[in-house]
């Protein structure tokens, strides 16, 4: 009987959470775009959305596919660097959005719940 690799379960969960984070970040950005205000989208929301896309398109596929199919590219230090970079990006992303919420700089009422969701998902993703 084959067993399920627990690392595979964690990577799938990481990808799903990154997708949810991307959707929440995009919802917050969209709220600013549809509000017809003369204020730009906060850079923290754009950075948070970038972090989610970075995780989905680079980190998760690299850590899933490389060890199995390209073991010569799966150097332990390269894997550690990918994970450390992603962790630093998630920490910076959710902290920046939390700071926006703390300062009440998200003036669009439709963007506030999605920004709160960004912080919650970012904490779990970290």
């Amino acid at each position: 009987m084959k067993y399920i690799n627990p690392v595979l379960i964690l990577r799938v969960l990481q990808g799903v959470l990154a997708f949810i984070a991307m959707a929440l970040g995009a919802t917050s950005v969209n709220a600013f775009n549809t509000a017809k205000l003369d204020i730009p989208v906060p850079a923290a929301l754009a950075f948070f959305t970038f972090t989610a896309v970075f995780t989905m398109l680079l980190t998760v596929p690299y850590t899933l596919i490389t060890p199995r199919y390209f073991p010569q590219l799966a150097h332990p230090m390269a894997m550690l660097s990918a994970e450390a970079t992603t962790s630093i990006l998630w920490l910076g992303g959710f902290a920046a959005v939390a700071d926006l919420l703390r300062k009440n700089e998200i003036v669009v009422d439709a963007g506030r719940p999605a920004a709160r969701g960004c912080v919650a998902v970012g904490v779990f993703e970290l």
Side-chain angles (χ1 to χ4, degrees), residues 41 74 77 82 125:
V41 174
M77 294 308 280
E125 188 74 44

Side-chain angles (χ1 to χ4, degrees), residues 75-96:
H75 192 273
M77 294 308 280
M79 301 291 274
L80 179 65
S81 297
E83 288 298 322
T85 302
T86 304
S87 295
I88 290 168
L89 290 175
W90 278 111
L91 179 64
F94 90 80

Side-chain angles (χ1 to χ4, degrees), residues 19-71:
F19 181 77
I20 293 169
M22 182 194 63
L24 287 169
T27 302
S28 295
V29 169
N30 188 39
F32 271 88
N33 290 336
T34 59
K36 304 285 191 239
L37 300 173
D38 289 334
I39 55 174
V41 174
L45 292 174
F47 179 72
F48 185 85
T49 307
F50 161 76
T51 302
V53 172
F54 178 84
T55 302
M56 278 188 350
L57 294 181
L58 292 175
T59 305
V60 172
Y62 176 72
T63 56
L64 272 178
I65 296 170
T66 305
R68 178 172 288 182
Y69 298 109
F70 307 104

Side-chain angles (χ1 to χ4, degrees), residues 1-14 60 62-69 79:
M1 184 172 156
K2 275 191 149 179
Y3 68 94
I4 296 175
N5 189 356
V7 175
L8 178 65
I9 294 171
L10 287 175
R11 295 294 174 214
V12 169
L13 180 64
Q14 185 180 20
V60 172
Y62 176 72
T63 56
L64 272 178
I65 296 170
T66 305
R68 178 172 288 182
Y69 298 109
M79 301 291 274

